[in-house]
Amino acid sequence: MMAPGDYTFLFALGMIFAFMDSYGIGANDVSNSFGAAVGSGALNLKQAVFIASICEFLGAFLMGSSTADTIKGGLIDVTLFKDQPELLMLAMVCSLVGSSTWVLFASSRGLPVSTTHAIVGAITGAGIAGFGLGAVKWSGIGTIVLSWLISPLIAGIVTAIIFLFTRFIILKHTNSLERGLIAIPFYFAVTIAINVFYIIFKGSPGLSISKLPIGAIIGISLGIAFVVFLWCNFFLKVYLRRKLEDEEPLKWYHTFYVRFVSTRSHPTDLEDVSAAEKNGKLSDTGVESDGSVNSGLAALEDKPLTLFQKLKKKAFHGLNQDINTNSEEVDNLHDKATRYEPKTEQLFCTLQVLTACFSSFAHGSNDVANAIGPLTTIYYVWQHGMVDISGTAPVPAWILAYGGIAIDIGLLTFGYRVMATLGNNICFVSPSRGFSLSLGTSFTVLTCSKLGLPVSTTHCITGATTSVGLVSGGGVKSINWKVLALIASSWIFTLPAAGAVSGLLFALIINSPHKM
């Protein structure tokens, strides 16, 4: 009979592989939220990683579930492990190995996959290996297969409606900038209302506000949206008009008090030249003298790096990637898309970033359980020497923080690959398109979850990206179908691949000779 504190090595292995699984979630799932924002130019990669890291960690730590669905989706009968709780610890370790192996492999290929489906497949594989096919509730597997079709289809339709509406009332007109300035407060209000509702209703199961009546949640969301509408109308719209239409050199922080900022003009060319001369950057002929600069850079490049510099370069390798460097094939696809007034497109940059932040925050609060759920099970069994029959063991704060940190590291070092796929390689993504697909994804996940329909955020964002490419001009010729075929195949292989690794490992261990 297992006693509390036995099999500490399984707990240690669980910590390691839960970190790897959370790392994979950061590299893959988190990139879904910000891939379009980087691909459209609304953010650069460093900005996206910085913002997403904060949103994901806060979502996981502050609003993560107070309880975790430790046997994901109730796919296997936990009572099967009642007499040997140590086998449940082993099964969860093997599940984390299977899930993390597949997610990290997919991330290395830039393929967005569902980390939820990966852990479900892994737990299912361990269950079959230990107790046969009868241990699995196959209705849950059927629901997942159904989500492969439902998620991208519904998200694609919603995204197409949002973008076509935006194109009809704003983008296609010659005075699109003026129309956009009028519409932007309404867009902000609708975006805020939907996403606040999403956060309260679905993204914060650990807080009591998620238990509020639906009418109260709607009232709170609309109230916040109305306040944002007023602020946008009296401040943001004025700032954008002066920044884009009048081309004043305003800073971002002027947004909050722009009505009190005096009219500003660009410095003249003569002023620029004078400033450059004072800084010693111009030669007597008026041409910037850069010989000494180049020689200095060359000397720095030839100088061997210290150990600290090598480690720093390796650690921040993921931040120094340019996901918008395209092949000739991708450039040809982008050329088929209709382009709109650049200044009008800039109106949607803030909206796109805002939607991505909300999605990332809610994702951190929900999907961190994919990795820490099994870890919580392992920790509970190790601590108590028994199985949590209810499957809802309390999640310690340190485990939430542990998962959040691993997610951030995964995004920081490896997230650029999936960002490149979703933000650039499927189709051309501009700020207006990126906003449409981000909002369409959030709205789809929210609505379908309420209706009980199976959806995956990863599948939704892929379907939304494809949809916006199809309706943007160029039709089917503007979509990279090769990449989509690879993504679709990775969805199909997620369940069996993660399940095979987990099941084979579990079967190998439990059926191996034991020292007496």
Side-chain angles (χ1 to χ4, degrees):
M1 189 69 180
M2 179 181 175
D6 285 352
Y7 300 98
T8 301
F9 75 95
L10 285 178
F11 173 58
L13 288 173
M15 290 286 293
I16 294 171
F17 287 105
F19 186 93
M20 290 180 61
D21 205 31
S22 296
Y23 179 94
I25 291 172
N28 202 293
D29 264 18
V30 180
S31 302
N32 296 340
S33 300
F34 282 87
V38 177
S40 70
L43 293 172
N44 61 41
L45 185 58
K46 292 181 180 179
Q47 292 170 332
V49 169
F50 176 74
I51 296 173
S53 296
I54 294 175
C55 292
E56 287 286 333
F57 180 81
L58 292 178
F61 185 69
L62 298 179
M63 300 180 72
S65 300
S66 59
T67 59
D69 185 4
T70 53
I71 308 299
K72 195 69 183 177
L75 287 172
I76 58 174
D77 185 2
V78 70
T79 60
L80 295 171
F81 299 91
K82 185 178 180 180
D83 295 331
Q84 289 184 286
E86 63 272 18
L87 282 184
L88 181 58
M89 291 180 69
L90 177 61
M92 292 298 104
V93 170
C94 293
S95 298
L96 289 171
V97 172
S99 176
S100 60
T101 299
W102 173 252
V103 172
L104 288 175
F105 171 78
S107 299
S108 69
R109 299 297 185 268
L111 299 174
V113 295
S114 172
T115 56
T116 301
H117 292 179
I119 194 65
V120 165
I123 292 176
T124 301
I128 293 174
F131 301 97
L133 296 174
V136 179
K137 298 177 182 177
W138 292 101
S139 60
I141 303 297
T143 298
I144 289 175
V145 173
L146 187 62
S147 75
W148 296 343
L149 301 175
I150 290 178
S151 296
L153 180 62
I154 297 180
I157 292 173
V158 173
T159 297
I161 292 172
I162 294 172
F163 180 74
L164 290 174
F165 176 79
T166 301
R167 187 174 70 175
F168 178 75
I169 67 168
I170 298 174
L171 297 174
K172 74 173 188 176
H173 297 275
T174 54
N175 62 336
S176 60
L177 180 57
E178 182 61 32
R179 282 174 166 264
L181 288 169
I182 295 172
I184 204 70
F186 295 95
Y187 271 78
F188 260 90
V190 172
T191 301
I192 289 290
I194 291 175
N195 284 288
V196 168
F197 186 92
Y198 183 24
I199 291 294
I200 298 175
F201 178 73
K202 185 176 185 292
S204 55
L207 299 182
S208 58
I209 57 174
S210 63
K211 300 176 183 178
L212 290 172
I214 191 69
I217 297 177
I218 293 175
I220 292 172
S221 303
L222 293 179
I224 295 174
F226 181 68
V227 172
V228 170
F229 172 82
L230 293 177
W231 177 79
C232 289
N233 196 56
F234 289 102
F235 290 94
L236 180 63
K237 185 165 73 171
V238 176
Y239 169 83
L240 291 173
R241 186 181 297 278
R242 291 175 59 176
K243 179 79 173 178
L244 299 177
E245 198 172 69
D246 302 334
E247 299 185 346
E248 292 186 40
L250 297 174
K251 302 297 184 182
W252 65 267
Y253 51 79
H254 289 145
T255 310
F256 302 99
Y257 57 96
V258 67
R259 288 182 174 272
F260 306 101
V261 177
S262 59
T263 302
R264 303 189 174 202
S265 59
H266 285 284
T268 63
D269 292 340
L270 289 176
E271 289 174 340
D272 290 340
V273 172
S274 177
E277 288 177 340
K278 289 180 180 179
N279 292 328
K281 293 182 179 179
L282 293 184
S283 65
D284 294 337
T285 61
V287 178
E288 187 172 346
S289 177
D290 60 358
S292 59
V293 175
N294 288 336
S295 61
L297 290 174
L300 287 174
E301 291 175 355
D302 293 337
K303 185 178 179 181
L305 297 176
T306 64
L307 178 60
F308 175 76
Q309 289 172 327
K310 289 179 180 178
L311 292 174
K312 181 180 178 182
K313 183 178 180 181
K314 190 71 175 177
F316 291 98
H317 169 75
L319 289 179
N320 298 320
Q321 305 300 312
D322 183 7
I323 73 169
N324 291 321
T325 299
N326 304 327
S327 64
E328 183 178 351
E329 181 182 9
V330 172
D331 280 334
N332 291 334
L333 287 172
H334 288 188
D335 290 340
K336 293 179 174 65
T338 303
R339 307 299 174 101
Y340 299 102
E341 168 61 40
K343 290 184 178 180
T344 306
E345 288 281 6
Q346 288 183 48
L347 293 174
F348 291 91
C349 287
T350 306
L351 276 170
Q352 185 181 3
V353 174
L354 180 68
T355 306
C357 287
F358 273 112
S359 298
S360 182
F361 189 80
H363 174 271
S365 68
N366 283 334
D367 283 25
V368 68
N370 290 337
I372 67 168
L375 178 59
T376 301
T377 299
I378 296 168
Y379 179 65
Y380 184 93
V381 174
W382 176 73
Q383 190 178 42
H384 297 89
M386 58 184 292
V387 173
D388 173 34
I389 300 297
S390 66
T392 55
V395 182
W398 69 265
I399 290 185
L400 287 171
Y402 183 72
I405 291 171
I407 286 174
D408 285 352
I409 295 175
L411 173 66
L412 175 71
T413 57
F414 215 36
Y416 66 92
R417 291 184 181 272
V418 174
M419 279 192 184
T421 299
L422 292 174
N424 209 45
N425 291 343
I426 295 178
C427 66
F428 173 70
V429 178
S430 64
S432 62
R433 294 170 172 88
F435 158 72
S436 299
L437 66 90
S438 295
L439 183 60
T441 297
S442 295
F443 184 78
T444 300
V445 172
L446 166 64
T447 306
C448 291
S449 297
K450 174 61 178 174
L451 296 175
L453 297 175
V455 291
S456 162
T457 303
T458 300
H459 299 169
C460 283
I461 198 73
T462 304
T465 304
T466 305
S467 172
V468 84
L470 288 172
V471 300
S472 295
V476 295
K477 294 182 179 179
S478 62
I479 301 296
N480 193 334
W481 296 105
K482 292 181 181 178
V483 171
L484 280 179
L486 285 173
I487 292 173
S489 63
S490 70
W491 293 354
I492 296 172
F493 283 113
T494 294
L495 281 173
V501 173
S502 174
L504 289 173
L505 181 61
F506 187 62
L508 177 65
I509 295 174
I510 64 174
N511 293 298
S512 296
H514 297 276
K515 182 180 178 182
M516 300 300 292

